[in-house]
Amino acid sequence: MSTAIVAAFREGLERGELLIQKCAECRKLNMYPRYACPFCQSENLHWQRSTGRGRLHSFTVLRMGAPEGFEADLPYALGVIKLEEGVQLLARLLPDAAGDWGSYVCDQAVELAAPPTTQPQYRPCAWFRRSNVSR
Amino acid sequence: MSESGPVKIGKGSPEDPVFVGVGELPSGRYPQRSFIGDLTLVALRALKDAQMAPRDVDTIILIPNLHSFNDQADLIFSRLVEELGLNGHAKASFMVHSGGSTSDNAVRVASGLIASGHARTVLVLQCERWGSANLAEMVTMLSKNGIPGEWELPTGLQFNAIGALITRRYMHASRSSPSDMAAMCVALRQWAQLNPNAMYKGKSLTVEQVLASRMIADPLHAMECPMLADGAAAFVMTSAQNAAKRGIRATVRIAGSGGCVSHYSIGQEADLAVLGWPTAAKRAYEQSAWGPKDADFAEIYDSYAAVTAIAVEGLGLAEGGEGARWFAKNSTPGGKFPCNTNGGLLSAGHTGVGGGMALLIEGVRQLLWRAESERQINGCERCIVGGTGGSYMDAQVLLLERVASGVSA
Ligand SMILES: [Zn+2]
């Protein structure tokens, strides 16, 4: 994955920023980032930093059958996040205080978080946690 | 907005594309069977069912396999033409692919070719060797295909997690309990007891057993996840005129079709508890001038129970939010509205792209009144077929109806 938009998105994640692509022509937001604006076909595309706030549309905790290279991450949770900017993405979820994900429910508020230090390997994806949980 | 859909030819038209025969081999683990062998045998079964020989076929459409790219190449490069002795005779042999909805799209392609005169008789073939393949390799393949490498692969997403994301949202939106979801699996297992080709024939299942099985991807238990299977299926389509000329009395026509591709990435689906079903259903009903109340039964893709619960709601068979409970109550053997009468992917076996194919040919078989007597729906005339592929990227609806002696029965 060596294209410029992937690199820019991932560099943002490494700085702790979730970047949303913004079309300079029609001003619409594109998530996932596109190679041409799907609304007006412009190639004049920039970035906007997300507030990192959103709602959890759905989530799961994978306990068995990890893809190759993800075995050491098990168990881990994935969620579909609807950002307050009106776009959405798939992300990883931090475990709650009990070390599992039992306190998560659909539609609750979530926010961008740093990857946990216990994670065996850095993954170039966004992490979220419940908004009302202090760490 | 109504879609134009495939070439639409009225009932009774000589060029109306119709199903005339189906063939199937048992699903399960059959390491002694071979890929090309199964394709050959299932082709001959479908042709025999259609009262035809290989030389009656001018076009072969191949449904892809997912177990081997080498075997895939044999499909793409016309090996079945040679195996069936059609060298120099076949006009075309090619593959169509949209994952689990391939069978629905293959019907559209075959129909268009027949209606427009580009083909007279089309043989559609499928074989999958998932049950005998290396499981770890299949899991790895299913964790990469259909998932955007740039944006979602780094999260560790895989197929059961995709099913779980849909199931969680569906259970939340519909207030369906774990028991409601498990009861759908039990209903499918009851059908499998009546299907000699089903992987789980002879193996009973209870709600308690489902809920006691190991958690794989919350909220999915092991027994709510599909089992990878070997399998093969085929069907034959020709024009109504050619069927009549050959003295074939019972056929199945396509009254309408509708589709909706709602996403590619699971993270981009606007509502995981709805998917593309309401739009696809509306398009199909508009084209056919019949609605959910006109159907006698349905055959709908069910790699996870929630996928089918969402579909029966979108198709207007069940009230919104009642899909899972409606299915468990009405769609069992002897129920008011039979669904997935072969046992579905969850109990007949997940034969990859063949899961949709098995449901489609079961619908055609029922409408031809050729199912084994213990599961044949007496006097059935209309069937809703529903398919979906990839990360449930699309909803595909085919409305099938029986035609006997040249007129609709
Ligand atoms: Zn634009």
Side-chain angles (χ1 to χ4, degrees), chain B residues 100-117:
Chain B
S101 63
T102 303
S103 48
D104 309 295
N105 286 318
V107 169
R108 290 199 177 105
V109 172
S111 297
L113 293 173
I114 291 165
S116 59

PDB file of all heavy atoms in Angstrom, chain B residues 100-117:
ATOM      1  N   GLY B 100     -21.240 -14.720  -3.393  1.00  0.00           N
ATOM      2  CA  GLY B 100     -22.447 -15.471  -3.043  1.00  0.00           C
ATOM      3  C   GLY B 100     -23.662 -15.174  -3.894  1.00  0.00           C
ATOM      4  O   GLY B 100     -24.607 -15.964  -3.919  1.00  0.00           O
ATOM      5  N   SER B 101     -23.662 -14.052  -4.599  1.00  0.00           N
ATOM      6  CA  SER B 101     -24.796 -13.742  -5.472  1.00  0.00           C
ATOM      7  C   SER B 101     -24.531 -14.126  -6.921  1.00  0.00           C
ATOM      8  O   SER B 101     -25.304 -13.766  -7.811  1.00  0.00           O
ATOM      9  CB  SER B 101     -25.151 -12.249  -5.386  1.00  0.00           C
ATOM     10  OG  SER B 101     -24.071 -11.454  -5.839  1.00  0.00           O
ATOM     11  N   THR B 102     -23.465 -14.871  -7.183  1.00  0.00           N
ATOM     12  CA  THR B 102     -23.121 -15.239  -8.558  1.00  0.00           C
ATOM     13  C   THR B 102     -24.254 -15.967  -9.256  1.00  0.00           C
ATOM     14  O   THR B 102     -24.551 -15.705 -10.425  1.00  0.00           O
ATOM     15  CB  THR B 102     -21.864 -16.139  -8.591  1.00  0.00           C
ATOM     16  OG1 THR B 102     -20.782 -15.465  -7.959  1.00  0.00           O
ATOM     17  CG2 THR B 102     -21.488 -16.480 -10.012  1.00  0.00           C
ATOM     18  N   SER B 103     -24.908 -16.894  -8.553  1.00  0.00           N
ATOM     19  CA  SER B 103     -25.958 -17.683  -9.205  1.00  0.00           C
ATOM     20  C   SER B 103     -27.066 -16.777  -9.728  1.00  0.00           C
ATOM     21  O   SER B 103     -27.588 -16.995 -10.827  1.00  0.00           O
ATOM     22  CB  SER B 103     -26.510 -18.739  -8.250  1.00  0.00           C
ATOM     23  OG  SER B 103     -26.802 -18.175  -6.989  1.00  0.00           O
ATOM     24  N   ASP B 104     -27.420 -15.756  -8.953  1.00  0.00           N
ATOM     25  CA  ASP B 104     -28.474 -14.828  -9.386  1.00  0.00           C
ATOM     26  C   ASP B 104     -28.032 -14.067 -10.635  1.00  0.00           C
ATOM     27  O   ASP B 104     -28.798 -13.896 -11.579  1.00  0.00           O
ATOM     28  CB  ASP B 104     -28.793 -13.841  -8.260  1.00  0.00           C
ATOM     29  CG  ASP B 104     -29.071 -14.568  -6.955  1.00  0.00           C
ATOM     30  OD1 ASP B 104     -30.057 -15.298  -6.900  1.00  0.00           O
ATOM     31  OD2 ASP B 104     -28.264 -14.433  -6.016  1.00  0.00           O
ATOM     32  N   ASN B 105     -26.775 -13.614 -10.621  1.00  0.00           N
ATOM     33  CA  ASN B 105     -26.276 -12.884 -11.784  1.00  0.00           C
ATOM     34  C   ASN B 105     -26.073 -13.801 -12.987  1.00  0.00           C
ATOM     35  O   ASN B 105     -26.254 -13.378 -14.129  1.00  0.00           O
ATOM     36  CB  ASN B 105     -24.992 -12.140 -11.422  1.00  0.00           C
ATOM     37  CG  ASN B 105     -25.292 -10.915 -10.565  1.00  0.00           C
ATOM     38  OD1 ASN B 105     -26.245 -10.192 -10.841  1.00  0.00           O
ATOM     39  ND2 ASN B 105     -24.509 -10.703  -9.519  1.00  0.00           N
ATOM     40  N   ALA B 106     -25.737 -15.075 -12.739  1.00  0.00           N
ATOM     41  CA  ALA B 106     -25.608 -16.031 -13.846  1.00  0.00           C
ATOM     42  C   ALA B 106     -26.968 -16.254 -14.508  1.00  0.00           C
ATOM     43  O   ALA B 106     -27.056 -16.409 -15.735  1.00  0.00           O
ATOM     44  CB  ALA B 106     -25.036 -17.353 -13.334  1.00  0.00           C
ATOM     45  N   VAL B 107     -28.036 -16.240 -13.706  1.00  0.00           N
ATOM     46  CA  VAL B 107     -29.394 -16.371 -14.268  1.00  0.00           C
ATOM     47  C   VAL B 107     -29.691 -15.177 -15.173  1.00  0.00           C
ATOM     48  O   VAL B 107     -30.224 -15.322 -16.271  1.00  0.00           O
ATOM     49  CB  VAL B 107     -30.445 -16.483 -13.142  1.00  0.00           C
ATOM     50  CG1 VAL B 107     -31.856 -16.358 -13.703  1.00  0.00           C
ATOM     51  CG2 VAL B 107     -30.280 -17.796 -12.393  1.00  0.00           C
ATOM     52  N   ARG B 108     -29.296 -13.987 -14.694  1.00  0.00           N
ATOM     53  CA  ARG B 108     -29.539 -12.791 -15.511  1.00  0.00           C
ATOM     54  C   ARG B 108     -28.770 -12.872 -16.835  1.00  0.00           C
ATOM     55  O   ARG B 108     -29.299 -12.547 -17.896  1.00  0.00           O
ATOM     56  CB  ARG B 108     -29.077 -11.542 -14.765  1.00  0.00           C
ATOM     57  CG  ARG B 108     -29.918 -11.188 -13.573  1.00  0.00           C
ATOM     58  CD  ARG B 108     -29.663  -9.723 -13.208  1.00  0.00           C
ATOM     59  NE  ARG B 108     -30.513  -9.316 -12.114  1.00  0.00           N
ATOM     60  CZ  ARG B 108     -30.082  -9.145 -10.860  1.00  0.00           C
ATOM     61  NH1 ARG B 108     -28.817  -9.329 -10.571  1.00  0.00           N
ATOM     62  NH2 ARG B 108     -30.922  -8.769  -9.928  1.00  0.00           N
ATOM     63  N   VAL B 109     -27.511 -13.307 -16.752  1.00  0.00           N
ATOM     64  CA  VAL B 109     -26.684 -13.400 -17.963  1.00  0.00           C
ATOM     65  C   VAL B 109     -27.270 -14.429 -18.917  1.00  0.00           C
ATOM     66  O   VAL B 109     -27.458 -14.160 -20.117  1.00  0.00           O
ATOM     67  CB  VAL B 109     -25.223 -13.745 -17.595  1.00  0.00           C
ATOM     68  CG1 VAL B 109     -24.407 -14.041 -18.847  1.00  0.00           C
ATOM     69  CG2 VAL B 109     -24.578 -12.615 -16.789  1.00  0.00           C
ATOM     70  N   ALA B 110     -27.589 -15.607 -18.402  1.00  0.00           N
ATOM     71  CA  ALA B 110     -28.144 -16.672 -19.244  1.00  0.00           C
ATOM     72  C   ALA B 110     -29.458 -16.210 -19.887  1.00  0.00           C
ATOM     73  O   ALA B 110     -29.701 -16.440 -21.080  1.00  0.00           O
ATOM     74  CB  ALA B 110     -28.354 -17.934 -18.413  1.00  0.00           C
ATOM     75  N   SER B 111     -30.295 -15.546 -19.086  1.00  0.00           N
ATOM     76  CA  SER B 111     -31.588 -15.074 -19.589  1.00  0.00           C
ATOM     77  C   SER B 111     -31.408 -14.079 -20.729  1.00  0.00           C
ATOM     78  O   SER B 111     -32.095 -14.150 -21.746  1.00  0.00           O
ATOM     79  CB  SER B 111     -32.384 -14.399 -18.468  1.00  0.00           C
ATOM     80  OG  SER B 111     -32.671 -15.323 -17.467  1.00  0.00           O
ATOM     81  N   GLY B 112     -30.475 -13.155 -20.528  1.00  0.00           N
ATOM     82  CA  GLY B 112     -30.229 -12.143 -21.547  1.00  0.00           C
ATOM     83  C   GLY B 112     -29.722 -12.761 -22.841  1.00  0.00           C
ATOM     84  O   GLY B 112     -30.140 -12.371 -23.936  1.00  0.00           O
ATOM     85  N   LEU B 113     -28.844 -13.746 -22.720  1.00  0.00           N
ATOM     86  CA  LEU B 113     -28.296 -14.408 -23.910  1.00  0.00           C
ATOM     87  C   LEU B 113     -29.393 -15.138 -24.671  1.00  0.00           C
ATOM     88  O   LEU B 113     -29.443 -15.099 -25.908  1.00  0.00           O
ATOM     89  CB  LEU B 113     -27.195 -15.393 -23.499  1.00  0.00           C
ATOM     90  CG  LEU B 113     -25.915 -14.787 -22.919  1.00  0.00           C
ATOM     91  CD1 LEU B 113     -24.996 -15.891 -22.409  1.00  0.00           C
ATOM     92  CD2 LEU B 113     -25.196 -13.932 -23.961  1.00  0.00           C
ATOM     93  N   ILE B 114     -30.264 -15.798 -23.936  1.00  0.00           N
ATOM     94  CA  ILE B 114     -31.337 -16.574 -24.580  1.00  0.00           C
ATOM     95  C   ILE B 114     -32.369 -15.637 -25.210  1.00  0.00           C
ATOM     96  O   ILE B 114     -32.757 -15.800 -26.375  1.00  0.00           O
ATOM     97  CB  ILE B 114     -32.006 -17.519 -23.551  1.00  0.00           C
ATOM     98  CG1 ILE B 114     -31.018 -18.623 -23.141  1.00  0.00           C
ATOM     99  CG2 ILE B 114     -33.294 -18.125 -24.114  1.00  0.00           C
ATOM    100  CD1 ILE B 114     -31.411 -19.382 -21.888  1.00  0.00           C
ATOM    101  N   ALA B 115     -32.780 -14.626 -24.450  1.00  0.00           N
ATOM    102  CA  ALA B 115     -33.822 -13.716 -24.937  1.00  0.00           C
ATOM    103  C   ALA B 115     -33.370 -12.931 -26.160  1.00  0.00           C
ATOM    104  O   ALA B 115     -34.169 -12.598 -27.027  1.00  0.00           O
ATOM    105  CB  ALA B 115     -34.244 -12.765 -23.819  1.00  0.00           C
ATOM    106  N   SER B 116     -32.058 -12.640 -26.223  1.00  0.00           N
ATOM    107  CA  SER B 116     -31.552 -11.827 -27.333  1.00  0.00           C
ATOM    108  C   SER B 116     -31.061 -12.687 -28.500  1.00  0.00           C
ATOM    109  O   SER B 116     -30.581 -12.155 -29.489  1.00  0.00           O
ATOM    110  CB  SER B 116     -30.415 -10.933 -26.834  1.00  0.00           C
ATOM    111  OG  SER B 116     -29.375 -11.747 -26.310  1.00  0.00           O
ATOM    112  N   GLY B 117     -31.143 -13.995 -28.351  1.00  0.00           N
ATOM    113  CA  GLY B 117     -30.739 -14.875 -29.446  1.00  0.00           C
ATOM    114  C   GLY B 117     -29.259 -15.189 -29.500  1.00  0.00           C
ATOM    115  O   GLY B 117     -28.804 -15.856 -30.423  1.00  0.00           O
TER     116      GLY B 117
END
